[in-house]
Amino acid sequence: MLKRKLGFLLNIFSMITSCMVIAVALFVTVLNPTERIEAVILWQIPAVAALISLTTLIYPWDKPLKKAETTMRKVFHYIMVNVIVLGAGFVFEWYDPKSIGSVTAMLVTIAVIFAVVSGISWGRSARDAKRMNERLQEYMKAAEGINAEGMLK
């Protein structure tokens, strides 16, 4: 279970980091052209991505959730991500908190990255569940062909 959780966290971390790098590239080349960026951002991005990755641990691994609880956790997760990114962005001076446009750009970027990472993650989970169900059905079909003594029927 621990190995699976670590693998999941590393996967989420890499998706978030990749999306953040793409967002920074978009901002500094298209939306707000800048000739250079500070090298410290190369440490800031993975630090923020690591914190955001840890927020995914609010979803339990050992029990299914009811729809209302899942929705509440998704909303809380989204709020935590916003607090982390906006807080870190303020500390690291990624945006101007006095500028509505700057704050809006951050909020839109957070929403897009959250949607992309969530969509990919949930899609992978659905594929994994489908694959596991198919394997279980194959196992059960194979087991039907064997009697209680372990002999083929």
Side-chain angles (χ1 to χ4, degrees), residues 33-106:
T34 308
E35 286 189 31
R36 61 173 64 188
I37 58 174
E38 294 183 33
V40 72
I41 199 165
L42 297 174
W43 292 106
Q44 294 168 351
I45 290 172
V48 172
L51 286 174
I52 295 169
S53 298
L54 292 175
T55 65
T56 62
L57 295 176
I58 67 166
Y59 300 103
W61 285 70
D62 55 352
K63 68 173 185 158
L65 298 175
K66 294 180 180 176
K67 189 172 186 173
E69 189 176 0
T70 300
T71 301
M72 286 176 35
R73 286 181 191 240
K74 285 180 189 175
V75 169
F76 183 64
H77 183 210
Y78 182 70
I79 291 169
M80 286 192 313
V81 168
N82 274 273
V83 168
I84 290 168
V85 175
L86 290 175
F90 176 76
V91 170
F92 297 145
E93 298 178 353
W94 290 351
Y95 69 100
D96 178 7
K98 295 176 185 172
S99 166
I100 298 281
S102 183
V103 173
T104 302
M106 286 293 288

